[in-house]
Amino acid sequence: MAPHPSRREVLKWTAASALLPTLPVLASASPKKEVALRIAHLTDIHVQPELKAGIGMADALRIAQERRPKPDLILTGGDLIMDCSGTSATRAQDQWDIFNQVLKNELTTPIEHCLGNHDVFAMYRYSKGRQAGEPEYGKKWAMEILGLGHPYRSFDRAGWHFIVLDSTFPQTDSYTAKLDDEQFEWLVADLKKTPKTTPILVLSHIPILAACAYFDGNNEKTGNWVVPGSWMHIDARRITRAFYEHGGVKLALSGHMHLVDRVDYLGTTYLCNGAVSGAWWRGNYHECEPGFGEVTLYRDGTFDHKYVTTGWTADMKVSIPGVPVEVVA
Ligand SMILES: [Fe+2]
C-alpha cells in the first residue's frame, strides 16, 4: 500500500490542478461498433391445430422479419410443435404440416433450427415398443423434416462461430437436460479447433444456466432449492467449465422455460428467451408475454439483446377436445 500523502503535498496538488485549463468534454472516443449479424431467436413456438397457434406463429415470423433493421438470420430454439413426444404419428404429422406451411408462407430470412424435447417423437412411450407403420422413434423424424443431418452441429457466419446443441437426453418415459459423452467430446473438440479470437454463440433448447429455472414450480418446498434436471442442464458444471477454459463463448441462447432471464457467469452470458407461444397459446406464462429474442452480434464479439413481445392475445373461448388445460414445458 502506498504511504499517505502529507497535508502539504495534498495542498500542492490541489493548487496545481486549480491552475489547469478546463478541458472540453470529449465526445464518445470509441468508434461505432460494426454489426456482424442481426438475429431473431424464436423459441418454443409449439404450433398446433388449436388455439389459432398457426396464426400466432405466422404473426411472430412477420413481426420478427418486419423489424428494422431487418434480421439476417432466424434461429429457432426447439419445441417447434406443441408436442410429438407423447402423441400418435398422425397427430405429430398434423403439427409438422402446420409448421412447414407457415414457414413456406412467411419465411423470407435464412433460418437455422434447434431441436426441443417436444420435437422428439414418441419419447414417452419409447420403452413400450414401436407401433406398426410408425416413423422411427426419437429425433430422426424431426431432423428429416428440418433438413438436419445431425441433432447437433456447428457453423460459421459473419465472423462468429455458432454451436447448436441437442439438450434432450431421453430416459424411460422422461428426459434429462444433458449432453451424452459423445456430444460433450464433440463440443470440446469443436471449441478446441475454434480460434480463441473468434466469438462463439451457443444455441440450446434447454438452458445451460438460468435463474428462472428456480422459480418455475415450487422448487423450494423441501427447504432447499431443488431444480429439476429437465429444467436446466444437469451437466452445466462441465459445460460452463469448457466454455470458461476456451474463453470465446460470448453468448448462450436457450428457450424451454417460457421465461426470460440473463445470467452472466465466467465470461459467458446465458439468455433464456421466453416463448413465441407464451403459455402454450393461452396467454402469458408467469410474467412472460409471448415474444422472441432480438440479438445483434458485433464484429468485436459483443452483442445487444432485447425481448420483443408480439402482442398476441389468447382466444380462451377456443376449446380443445381431449387436451387438458394443464401443460408442461
Ligand atoms: Fe416449450
Side-chain angles (χ1 to χ4, degrees):
M1 185 182 287
H4 289 292
S6 67
R7 181 178 157 74
R8 181 177 292 178
E9 282 172 326
V10 170
L11 287 172
K12 190 169 70 182
W13 296 338
T14 306
S17 62
L19 294 173
L20 289 172
T22 307
L23 292 171
V25 177
L26 293 174
S28 174
S30 60
K32 199 166 184 291
K33 290 195 293 185
E34 191 183 349
V35 173
L37 207 65
R38 298 182 197 280
I39 293 170
H41 177 215
L42 277 68
T43 189
D44 293 84
I45 298 171
H46 284 287
V47 82
Q48 58 178 331
E50 301 80 13
L51 293 173
K52 301 180 181 174
I55 297 170
M57 176 182 166
D59 277 359
L61 272 169
R62 208 172 301 127
I63 292 166
Q65 293 175 113
E66 284 175 356
R67 299 279 295 171
R68 293 295 177 268
K70 195 179 176 319
D72 306 299
L73 176 66
I74 291 177
L75 297 177
T76 63
D79 284 4
L80 307 172
I81 57 173
M82 181 63 193
D83 177 65
C84 68
S85 62
T87 70
S88 68
T90 309
R91 171 76 185 172
Q93 187 67 63
D94 287 347
Q95 297 169 77
W96 284 120
D97 286 348
I98 300 170
F99 183 81
N100 283 333
Q101 190 60 49
V102 175
L103 281 192
K104 193 175 166 200
N105 293 348
E106 301 294 338
L107 190 67
T108 57
T109 308
I111 195 164
E112 294 286 349
H113 296 292
C114 174
L115 294 177
N117 51 294
H118 284 286
D119 306 321
V120 183
F121 179 60
M123 184 164 60
Y124 293 138
R125 49 195 174 83
Y126 214 89
S127 56
K128 297 186 181 75
R130 184 178 176 186
Q131 291 170 19
E134 281 191 336
E136 193 169 325
Y137 286 115
K139 298 162 187 172
K140 194 161 183 260
W141 192 10
M143 286 162 54
E144 281 171 9
I145 287 169
L146 301 171
L148 304 177
H150 213 267
Y152 51 89
R153 65 197 189 282
S154 67
F155 56 90
D156 295 297
R157 201 161 299 187
W160 279 64
H161 186 63
F162 290 74
I163 298 175
V164 183
L165 296 177
D166 172 20
S167 295
T168 309
F169 184 85
Q171 312 269 36
T172 303
D173 301 326
S174 185
Y175 67 94
T176 300
K178 71 177 220 180
L179 312 180
D180 60 16
D181 287 343
E182 187 183 322
Q183 186 178 177
F184 182 73
E185 282 161 24
W186 170 86
L187 171 64
V188 170
D190 194 78
L191 288 171
K192 206 169 275 182
K193 69 184 182 194
T194 306
K196 289 183 185 295
T197 50
T198 301
I200 300 170
L201 183 154
V202 174
L203 176 66
S204 64
H205 173 61
I206 302 174
I208 294 165
L209 197 56
C212 62
Y214 283 83
F215 303 106
D216 194 19
N218 190 8
N219 294 339
E220 67 274 43
K221 67 184 173 193
T222 63
N224 289 302
W225 285 106
V226 180
V227 176
S230 54
W231 268 202
M232 192 178 92
H233 266 259
I234 197 70
D235 52 351
R237 192 182 295 275
R238 74 172 180 174
I239 298 176
T240 56
R241 172 57 51 178
F243 291 174
Y244 175 68
E245 283 170 1
H246 182 275
V249 183
K250 304 298 180 189
L251 187 56
L253 302 179
S254 71
H256 188 57
M257 301 306 297
H258 297 221
L259 296 169
V260 177
D261 76 4
R262 172 181 175 137
V263 174
D264 290 305
Y265 185 64
L266 298 178
T268 300
T269 299
Y270 298 82
L271 295 175
C272 193
N273 261 334
V276 169
S277 66
W280 301 264
W281 303 108
R282 293 177 186 275
N284 299 350
Y285 187 60
H286 298 195
E287 299 83 2
C288 181
E289 295 181 39
F292 57 89
E294 191 172 63
V295 178
T296 304
L297 304 180
Y298 295 97
R299 296 272 178 199
D300 65 0
T302 60
F303 64 89
D304 289 328
H305 169 255
K306 181 179 183 181
Y307 187 69
V308 179
T309 56
T310 56
W312 171 262
T313 51
D315 185 350
M316 299 304 283
K317 291 181 196 139
V318 180
S319 64
I320 311 176
V323 176
V325 172
E326 298 78 27
V327 281
V328 293

